[in-house]
Amino acid sequence: MQKHFIIEMLGIKDKHVDVWDMTSEPDKFYVELYTKVKTQKCPFCKEKTKRVHSYRNQQIQGPIVSNKPVKISLRKRRYLCVNCRHTFYEKLQMVDRYQRCTSSIQTTALTYTAVGSFTTAAQLTGMSSNRLLRIFDRRDMKTKKVLPRAIAIDEFKGDAGGERFQTVIADIEHKEIIDVLPDRKVDTIKRYLKSCDTSNVEIVVMDLSRSFKQAVQKALGDPLIIADRFHFMRQVYWALDSVRREVQHDLEKNERIRMKRSKKLLWKSQYKLTDEQKEKVNQLLQIHPRLKEAYELKNKLDQWFKESDKITATQGFEECLSAMKASNIEAFHKVMKTFKRWRQEILQSFMYPFNNGYIEGVNNTIKVAKRMSYGIKDFKRLKKKILWRQEVRRALA
């Protein structure tokens, strides 16, 4: 019973491995294992044999039990093939070839890397960081080459492989990361799309990036491109904020501080303001007519954004463009030009229920993982970590 418990505790699946002895020392557990004679298939001629040639004691790292590492000494058998006279070691599930730690420890450590840093995962399993990195780098993460009907493209600041930004391709219908690209250049994205089977791709969601749009059109022809709702509306809030900063610059110290601290209040939707907040907003708008004009434009665009549907969006869009054109505020003229340039893509966001919400969430988890690891400079390792985290989460779901 005790031997069976030790075998289970060590995560050993081989039926012919048994416990010879176990001792407990102040700083570690020491377990001696041995293998029983078992018919083996020769890897050279495929004939079966039970002839033992020699023995070898292999030192293996085990798991951490009661905050003490387990050191394993395994007495392995080397077999002799009576047909071809070659010798070979028996195959074991508990430890891979050329490895010095059990397979169960490797699996546990790799699972920890999906939710934490490599250093933390190594510390929790009692192995060195370099060993864990070697094990992780050997893994082959496969990516899909047949793209789905609706994909999303977005960038994130990865600082890996000598590039500041990397690109994520995601399936927004099934909420799945498809691939991670080393940079956000047009040629890189175009090359990737052309290397995949894109016959099913009908919809592409993106932010207001010219390079993304150019790459998609060159690689896919004329797909349905949808501008992400968050990205085109933040242009409006940035325009309002630029006016706030201009007005704030000419104010006295106390008023300047008050204006600076009112950024979130001015950004807040008019539908969510309390009576007290409405009074504070009115006081701020009395400071300068340009601020009042910018705030009214923001509210008009916000109303169009929240109340329009696929039937009324076009008419409201044209009215907003006219209002921005009639304004004397340069920041909103820039917004107008951006909206005109992305007119079709913006209006399509009201007609189809797709946005970059999922991929923005992915970007946040990537930033957290990168921060926990104090940065991952190797792009291949960063890509594997992103895809591995998704695979582990899917397996644990």
Side-chain angles (χ1 to χ4, degrees):
M1 181 65 183
Q2 183 182 4
K3 291 182 178 181
H4 176 73
F5 174 75
I6 294 172
I7 293 293
E8 289 292 323
M9 179 187 68
L10 296 177
I12 298 172
K13 304 297 183 184
D14 300 282
K15 301 297 183 182
H16 65 295
V17 175
D18 207 348
V19 179
W20 181 266
D21 189 24
M22 176 178 176
T23 58
S24 177
E25 299 179 8
D27 59 339
K28 64 182 177 181
F29 292 105
Y30 191 75
V31 181
E32 294 182 66
L33 304 178
Y34 70 96
T35 60
K36 301 173 184 177
V37 176
K38 181 183 177 182
T39 302
Q40 302 286 331
K41 182 183 286 188
C42 175
F44 301 97
C45 67
K46 309 305 180 185
E47 290 293 325
K48 294 181 180 181
T49 181
K50 292 180 69 175
R51 176 79 64 85
V52 178
H53 176 269
S54 58
Y55 297 89
R56 177 199 170 198
N57 287 330
Q58 181 179 356
Q59 304 303 312
I60 304 170
Q61 177 192 340
I64 294 178
V65 178
S66 299
N67 295 323
K68 292 199 294 186
V70 176
K71 302 297 181 182
I72 301 172
S73 177
L74 174 65
R75 191 168 187 258
K76 296 172 64 175
R77 299 175 188 268
R78 188 172 183 85
Y79 286 85
L80 171 67
C81 178
V82 295
N83 182 54
C84 66
R85 310 305 295 177
H86 279 97
T87 60
F88 57 92
Y89 281 110
E90 57 191 325
K91 288 185 177 181
L92 295 169
Q93 294 181 41
M94 66 172 286
V95 59
D96 295 331
R97 194 178 184 188
Y98 304 126
Q99 296 303 303
R100 296 296 178 267
C101 61
T102 61
S103 300
S104 60
I105 290 296
Q106 292 187 24
T107 303
T108 303
L110 289 171
T111 303
Y112 286 154
T113 61
V115 294
S117 67
F118 293 106
T119 302
T120 302
Q123 290 172 347
L124 291 172
T125 51
M127 68 171 63
S128 67
S129 299
N130 287 336
R131 173 182 282 179
L132 177 56
L133 287 173
R134 287 195 298 270
I135 294 170
F136 185 82
D137 289 343
R138 283 199 301 268
R139 292 192 64 82
D140 184 24
M141 300 299 298
K142 295 182 179 179
T143 55
K144 292 182 179 180
K145 287 301 180 183
V146 179
L147 299 186
R149 184 177 79 97
I151 63 173
I153 304 177
D154 200 12
E155 63 189 20
F156 68 94
K157 189 172 180 290
D159 288 314
E163 295 288 342
R164 189 178 181 188
F165 291 94
Q166 283 68 46
T167 303
V168 179
I169 312 292
D171 179 350
I172 52 175
E173 286 189 299
H174 300 97
K175 293 184 169 35
E176 179 183 5
I177 301 170
I178 300 172
D179 211 336
V180 183
L181 307 186
D183 54 58
R184 58 178 179 178
K185 297 174 183 176
V186 174
D187 290 340
T188 302
I189 300 170
K190 183 174 68 174
R191 194 182 310 116
Y192 168 76
L193 292 174
K194 286 188 175 181
S195 70
C196 298
D197 181 355
T198 57
S199 57
N200 297 327
V201 179
E202 299 176 4
I203 299 169
V204 182
V205 184
M206 64 179 69
D207 57 19
L208 306 185
S209 169
R210 293 183 182 182
S211 60
F212 287 170
K213 185 176 181 180
Q214 185 180 351
V216 166
Q217 289 177 336
K218 284 183 178 180
L220 303 181
D222 190 23
L224 181 69
I225 299 177
I226 300 175
D228 180 57
R229 296 165 67 85
F230 164 76
H231 284 91
F232 69 73
M233 274 306 294
R234 73 176 179 179
Q235 304 285 329
V236 177
Y237 291 90
W238 285 349
L240 171 63
D241 202 49
S242 68
V243 175
R244 179 191 63 81
R245 290 197 302 270
E246 289 175 9
V247 173
Q248 173 185 303
H249 182 71
D250 298 328
L251 298 177
E252 296 295 331
K253 182 178 179 180
N254 290 338
E255 287 295 315
R256 186 167 64 250
I257 293 173
R258 179 189 172 200
M259 181 66 74
K260 183 177 181 179
R261 293 175 177 174
S262 301
K263 174 183 173 179
K264 290 184 178 179
L265 182 62
L266 292 172
W267 279 30
K268 192 171 183 179
S269 174
Q270 59 181 330
Y271 303 110
K272 298 181 180 179
L273 291 173
T274 63
D275 292 337
E276 182 182 354
Q277 289 174 333
K278 288 179 181 178
E279 182 61 29
K280 288 182 179 179
V281 169
N282 288 332
Q283 292 175 6
L284 291 169
L285 299 183
Q286 299 304 316
I287 294 175
H288 202 285
R290 280 174 59 81
L291 181 62
K292 183 178 181 181
E293 183 182 359
Y295 185 76
E296 289 173 351
L297 280 172
K298 186 271 291 186
N299 283 344
K300 182 174 181 63
L301 285 154
D302 183 59
Q303 182 180 6
W304 161 74
F305 176 72
K306 290 178 177 175
E307 296 182 1
S308 297
D309 54 26
K310 61 182 180 181
I311 298 173
T312 61
T314 303
Q315 181 181 350
F317 183 78
E318 297 298 336
E319 291 175 359
C320 289
L321 289 180
S322 300
M324 287 188 285
K325 185 177 181 180
S327 170
N328 294 320
I329 301 174
E330 181 62 28
F332 278 94
H333 287 173
K334 292 180 180 179
V335 176
M336 178 189 67
K337 291 177 183 177
T338 302
F339 275 34
K340 282 184 175 181
R341 196 162 52 242
W342 290 83
R343 182 181 189 279
Q344 183 178 356
E345 291 80 10
I346 289 173
L347 291 176
Q348 283 172 168
S349 70
F350 291 90
M351 301 175 187
Y352 299 91
F354 297 110
N355 57 61
N356 264 4
Y358 166 71
I359 205 169
E360 291 294 340
V362 168
N363 288 347
N364 285 336
T365 60
I366 293 172
K367 290 174 185 175
V368 171
K370 191 176 69 120
R371 194 178 302 120
M372 291 175 69
S373 300
Y374 295 96
I376 302 174
K377 291 299 182 182
D378 188 299
F379 169 70
K380 290 183 179 179
R381 187 174 292 162
L382 176 63
K383 175 181 175 178
K384 281 185 180 180
K385 188 172 177 67
I386 294 167
L387 297 174
W388 175 241
R389 181 182 182 277
Q390 175 177 258
E391 190 172 313
V392 170
R393 286 172 62 88
R394 190 187 297 126
L396 296 177

